[in-house]
Amino acid sequence: DALEAYMAADFVVARAIWEPLAEADNVEAQAWMGSLYANGDGVDLDDERAFYWYMRPAGNGSLPAQTTLAAMYAYARGTRQRDQTAAHWFEKAAAAGDLNAQFNLATFYGSGRGVPQDNARAMELYRSAAAGGHRGAQARLGGLLAAGDGDRKPDRVEAFVWLFLAAQHGVGTALNALDGLVRLMSADEKREGMQRAESWRRSSRQDPSNVTNYPLPI
């Protein structure tokens, strides 16, 4: 009932249902209370209250709450910026399979933010999130594979696969990168890339709308 009210933008009713449940330690209701305060939905925007409500379900194992709490530490929303603590919460949620956490943790490892820089670990996390259907991870992975680095040669075929999949779902950066990549590919590479992309799409049961966190930009 609360979620139906929320989707209808009746935030006052949603809060009236969620708040007593949250006070009674209902994990999902606590996370949604965090969302209301983080976005100012039916209440005054209050990052400190949002942080309080996200902290409680994060400690009780809610993966979306853990990921969002990590983002609040990373971007100093409702608390001081603490990159190592953000990485800790991203690690917990990523290890349990949260795609947003895997993507964000990959960016941390890629830049050495809150953790020692580790490009191999970043690629591993991007691959995991991309395979789960995270469009941003697909685009980022495709771009990295297309560019290569000092330790890795460009892989145009695999880059095509991930950029194509992300572009098919409207990721603009992937579409732009794909246009540039195709110009460098041979006819055989293009054929193989398309075959692999279509094979992955047919075999995958991932829902394109798979990444759902309690609303907070991360």
Side-chain angles (χ1 to χ4, degrees):
D1 291 342
L3 186 57
E4 286 183 7
Y6 178 88
M7 298 303 293
D10 195 342
F11 304 125
V12 173
V13 169
R15 179 191 174 192
I17 298 171
W18 274 324
E19 191 162 21
L21 295 172
E23 293 287 5
D25 286 332
N26 180 286
V27 170
E28 186 174 358
Q30 289 170 346
W32 277 109
M33 286 296 295
S35 174
L36 294 179
Y37 280 105
N39 295 281
D41 291 334
V43 295
D44 291 335
L45 193 150
D46 188 333
D47 282 345
E48 291 185 2
R49 289 292 293 170
F51 179 83
Y52 164 79
W53 281 116
Y54 281 125
M55 176 66 82
R56 293 176 67 177
N60 287 319
S62 168
L63 302 187
Q66 288 174 354
T67 300
T68 307
L69 183 68
M72 298 190 81
Y73 276 117
Y75 300 110
R77 289 194 59 175
T79 186
R80 287 189 300 162
Q81 183 176 341
R82 294 184 175 91
D83 285 347
Q84 289 183 334
T85 305
H88 163 77
W89 285 107
F90 280 141
E91 287 273 15
K92 285 181 69 69
D98 185 88
L99 303 183
N100 272 326
Q102 291 172 356
F103 175 78
N104 282 278
L105 185 60
T107 68
F108 270 40
Y109 275 108
S111 62
R113 181 177 177 184
V115 291
Q117 186 173 14
D118 187 337
N119 290 332
R121 175 66 173 146
M123 289 293 287
E124 177 186 341
L125 288 160
Y126 281 132
R127 284 184 186 279
S128 180
H134 191 290
R135 306 309 177 195
Q138 291 173 347
R140 186 72 60 85
L141 178 60
L144 291 171
L145 288 166
D149 59 28
D151 301 321
R152 185 184 64 252
K153 294 181 180 180
D155 186 334
R156 289 193 290 263
V157 172
E158 188 178 1
F160 177 92
V161 173
W162 295 117
L163 290 173
F164 176 83
L165 291 169
Q168 288 292 297
H169 291 90
V171 181
T173 56
L175 182 59
N176 293 335
L178 186 62
D179 286 342
L181 176 65
V182 167
R183 296 190 184 98
L184 302 175
M185 297 175 70
S186 68
D188 287 342
E189 287 176 328
K190 294 175 189 176
R191 188 178 305 108
E192 182 182 354
M194 183 60 72
Q195 288 173 348
R196 288 170 57 179
E198 289 296 337
S199 177
W200 189 94
R201 191 165 60 177
R202 286 194 302 269
S203 64
S204 174
R205 296 183 179 180
Q206 297 298 333
D207 183 344
S209 61
N210 64 79
V211 181
T212 54
N213 272 24
Y214 304 105
L216 173 68
I218 62 172

